[in-house]
Amino acid sequence: MSTATLGALELVVLLAVARLKDKAYGLAIRRDLAARTGRDYSVGALYTTLQRLEDKGLLTSRHSEPLPVRGGRSRRHFTLTGAGARALREAERHAASIWAGIGKPLRPRLA
Amino acid sequence: MPSIHARRPTIATEPKANSALVTECVLMALGGDPAFIADLLGDLREEYSYRAARDGVNTARFWYLREMARSTPHLVWNAIRHGTPSARARLAAFILTVVVTFSVLTLAWLTRNGPPASLVVGGGVDSDGIVVNNLGPVPLSMSVLDARGRRLERTEVRYQRISGAPIQVSTRGVIKCTRPGDAIVRASLAPLQRDFVVHCEPVRKIRDAGWGNFVVGGPAGTFTVDAIGLDGKPVTRIAARLRVEDSTIATLDSSGRLRPLRPGQTWIDIEIGDRRAGAFVTVFEPVRTFEALRPDQLWVVAPIRLARGASIRWPLPTGAFFLTFSADSSEAPPTRGFVGLGSGSSPTVQFPINMSVAGLIMCTRMPELQPGVLGAHCLARAPGATLILTYSGPGGPNEIVGSVALERQEQH
C-alpha cells in the first residue's frame, strides 16, 4: 500500500485505531482525534473514512456484544490489518524522508 | 436537585429513540448502507445521551442537529456509492424536493409583506397634496407600504374630511369636487394616520391643444395644455397625464418637455381629470434642399435665407405632399431651425413672400394658415416640378429667414 493513497484524515484515523487497540469504535476514535488534533470531525466524515479504510483493506471491523443497558446497542470495533500496519510504517518512513535534512531549529520534536 | 444519572435515561435517551428510528428508516429508504447508517446514528445517540446528561437536553439537541447537518453530505455520498439505481433515483427526487421546498420557502420569506408602516399619497400629487381635476367622483390614490417600502394590497384605509372647502369625501376615499377649493383630508389605517391637502380644481374642458412641429436634433419643447375651469377661467393647478402614442418618434418627460427623436407623426393623448384631448406632433428631418429625396424621407424641412428681390428654385419630388413656408420673426435672431406652428411660437410679421410652383404640378393654397406661413397641398405628376420662392419687398427687413417643410403622403 502506497502512502500516496493515504489521505491526511485517513492517516490520523489509522493512527487512532492503532492507539486505541480493542477500544477503537466510532465515538472513541472521534474523541481521540479531537483530543490530539483539536479538530471536531463530524461523525459522518469519520464513518466515511473508516468505511473507506475498510474497503482498502487497512482496517477490519466486528460488532461487539450489546451494551449492558436497556436497549443497549452493539458497537462496531475496528482493528488494524497487516496492510494497515504496513501503511502506517510506510507513512512514517515517508514523513521521515520528507523531514530529512531539516535542521533542529525548524524541526519539531516528534513524540 | 436531581442527579445527572437520574435524568439521563428518561429525558435524554427515550424521546430521541423514536425520531432516530424515523431518520434511520428514511436514510435506508434513500439507499444508504444499513450498517453505515446504524453505526453513525448509534454513535450520535450515544453521544447525545452523554451530552444531555453533562450539558442539558437543549444543548445536546442543538449538538445532535448540528451533527446531522454536518453528516448529511457524507450520508448522501454513502447512498450514492452504495445504493441501487432505484435508490439513487429516490435520493435524487428527495434532494430535488428538499432544494425546491427550501427555495420556495426562502422566496416566500423574502417576499413576504410586513405590517403597514406608512401611508403614501399616490398619483396626481403636487408639492403639498393631491390635485383633483375631475368633475365626477374619483377614488383618492393612497398607497399603504410596509417597513421595507413594499406596497400592500389593503382596502381598510378610512378617509375623513377634517377642514377646508366643503368637498365630499366618502369613508372609502371617493372624492367629488363640485367647486374649486382646498380641504384637509385624513387617511387612517390603525395605528397609522396621515393628513393631506386635497386641491379641488375641476376642469370643465381642455382647450384645443392643436399641433406642433419639431426637428430631429432640434431643441426639446415644452408641451403646454390649457385647461378651463367651471368659471371659464384657466385652471392653474392641473395633474395632467400625457402619453405619446409612438415613443420612437418623440418622448415626453415628466415636466412635459417633448424631445423629437426621429421623423414621423404621432399623437399625444392628454388626460386631465375626467377630460381627454389630443395633439398631433410632426417631427421633421433637416435637409439642405428637396433635391434627391429618398422615398423613405417623408417629413423634411430645409432652412432658407432670402434677400430682398432674390428668389430660390428647388426641385420637388413626385407624388402628393404638403408644402409649408414659415418665416422667423424679424425681431428674433435668425434661426436655421423650423419655426413651430403650434400655439405660442408662430411668426406674426407679414412678409411679401411669393411661393409658386412650375412644371407638371398642381397645388391648392391653404388659406387658413397663420400670417407669415404659406401652405399648399400639391400633387406632382411627373419629375421636373419646381418650387419657386421670391422675396419681392418693398417694406420689411432686408433679408427673410425661415424654413420650408415638405410632408409627403405615403404611397399606398
Side-chain angles (χ1 to χ4, degrees):
Chain A
M1 178 62 57
S2 165
T3 50
T5 59
L6 212 53
L9 181 57
E10 288 177 336
L11 179 61
V12 293
V13 168
L14 268 186
L15 285 169
V17 171
R19 201 163 26 242
L20 291 167
K21 298 188 173 63
D22 58 343
K23 293 191 181 75
Y25 72 100
L27 271 184
I29 296 168
R30 190 165 176 269
R31 285 171 189 154
D32 185 76
L33 292 183
R36 289 177 182 276
T37 66
R39 289 190 61 182
D40 180 23
Y41 292 103
S42 75
V43 180
L46 176 65
Y47 270 99
T48 302
T49 307
L50 286 167
Q51 195 175 45
R52 195 161 57 238
L53 289 170
E54 202 172 3
D55 290 347
K56 287 179 177 179
L58 306 180
L59 290 179
T60 183
S61 68
R62 64 178 172 80
H63 278 96
S64 68
E65 292 295 314
L67 295 175
V69 292
R70 188 164 66 111
R73 74 184 186 99
S74 171
R75 285 172 176 162
R76 192 173 175 194
H77 286 260
F78 294 87
T79 315
L80 209 62
T81 62
R86 278 195 299 280
L88 279 181
R89 274 202 300 274
E90 197 172 328
E92 189 184 19
R93 275 198 297 273
H94 190 65
S97 71
I98 291 172
W99 282 101
I102 305 295
K104 277 190 177 177
L106 274 176
R107 187 169 186 173
R109 188 164 32 189
L110 298 173
Chain B
M1 185 171 172
S3 73
I4 288 173
H5 293 292
R7 275 166 42 186
R8 190 172 162 180
T10 52
I11 299 174
T13 312
E14 295 303 330
K16 211 68 207 166
N18 290 337
S19 59
L21 192 64
V22 172
T23 310
E24 198 166 335
C25 290
V26 169
L27 291 172
M28 286 189 186
L30 292 173
D33 177 12
F36 180 87
I37 293 166
D39 290 336
L40 192 149
L41 293 182
D43 271 9
L44 281 179
R45 276 200 294 273
E46 192 177 331
E47 181 74 8
Y48 170 82
S49 300
Y50 169 75
R51 283 174 183 261
R54 192 187 66 182
D55 307 326
V57 175
N58 288 336
T59 308
R61 277 184 184 155
F62 175 75
W63 173 86
Y64 187 90
L65 289 173
R66 194 191 67 153
E67 278 305 306
M68 279 304 289
R70 290 174 73 199
S71 297
T72 298
H74 302 283
L75 289 162
V76 170
W77 176 240
N78 181 267
I80 291 170
R81 281 188 68 200
H82 296 279
T84 60
S86 63
R88 285 177 188 158
R90 280 199 302 275
L91 178 66
F94 178 76
I95 290 172
L96 190 67
T97 305
V98 168
V99 168
V100 168
T101 305
F102 181 76
S103 304
V104 167
L105 290 176
T106 304
L107 197 66
W109 188 82
L110 287 175
T111 56
R112 79 196 191 287
N113 291 329
S118 60
L119 296 169
V120 177
V121 179
V125 172
D126 70 359
S127 57
D128 62 343
I130 294 181
V131 178
V132 177
N133 296 123
N134 299 60
L135 276 169
V138 59
L140 283 170
S141 178
M142 177 70 74
S143 300
V144 184
L145 306 181
D146 68 5
R148 296 163 75 180
R150 255 196 298 258
R151 189 187 295 264
L152 305 177
E153 296 297 327
R154 304 291 288 247
T155 57
E156 304 91 43
V157 182
R158 291 289 177 264
Y159 299 85
Q160 179 189 6
R161 191 187 73 83
I162 301 298
S163 61
I167 61 173
Q168 299 171 23
V169 183
S170 77
T171 55
R172 292 274 183 184
V174 177
I175 194 162
K176 190 167 189 316
C177 288
T178 50
R179 58 179 176 174
D182 295 347
I184 293 175
V185 173
R186 175 168 295 165
S188 309
L189 176 64
L192 305 173
Q193 194 166 289
R194 170 89 191 263
D195 289 352
F196 55 96
V197 181
V198 173
H199 305 287
C200 265
E201 295 277 0
V203 169
R204 186 165 53 85
K205 74 167 186 177
I206 301 171
R207 192 174 281 161
D208 184 15
W211 48 290
N213 292 329
F214 295 83
V215 180
V216 175
T222 302
F223 200 86
T224 55
V225 178
D226 289 338
I228 307 300
L230 295 175
D231 52 3
K233 294 177 181 168
V235 175
T236 51
R237 204 186 317 242
I238 58 173
R241 283 186 197 161
L242 302 176
R243 190 184 67 84
V244 183
E245 190 177 52
D246 187 344
S247 57
T248 65
I249 294 172
T251 56
L252 267 170
D253 63 20
S254 55
S255 61
R257 285 183 69 77
L258 189 141
R259 185 170 299 281
L261 299 177
R262 70 169 179 89
Q265 284 182 326
T266 187
W267 181 256
I268 296 180
D269 265 328
I270 303 159
E271 188 179 338
I272 302 173
D274 36 25
R275 300 285 173 251
R276 295 188 72 167
F280 210 47
V281 166
T282 306
V283 179
F284 289 88
E285 175 187 351
V287 293
R288 291 180 64 84
T289 72
F290 298 152
E291 201 166 8
L293 291 178
R294 296 189 312 272
D296 62 318
Q297 288 180 294
L298 299 177
W299 299 274
V300 292
V301 62
I304 62 158
R305 189 178 285 269
L306 270 177
R308 193 195 307 274
S311 65
I312 60 165
R313 297 173 71 90
W314 281 356
L316 290 169
T318 55
F321 47 82
F322 285 102
L323 259 179
T324 314
F325 165 78
S326 176
D328 293 354
S329 168
S330 58
E331 283 78 32
T335 171
R336 302 190 67 77
F338 178 52
V339 176
L341 301 180
S343 56
S345 62
S346 59
T348 54
V349 181
Q350 289 274 14
F351 299 117
I353 287 283
N354 181 49
M355 183 166 75
S356 59
V357 288
L360 281 175
I361 183 169
M362 189 176 70
C363 289
T364 307
R365 175 91 182 261
M366 301 179 73
E368 70 271 21
L369 291 176
Q370 303 163 57
V373 178
L374 300 174
H377 183 218
C378 300
L379 177 63
R381 295 189 179 280
T386 307
L387 167 71
I388 305 161
L389 273 168
T390 307
Y391 177 32
S392 53
N398 292 328
E399 187 180 57
I400 293 291
V401 176
S403 52
V404 183
L406 186 130
E407 188 181 325
R408 295 161 83 180
Q409 290 180 283
E410 291 179 78
Q411 303 294 319
H412 296 292

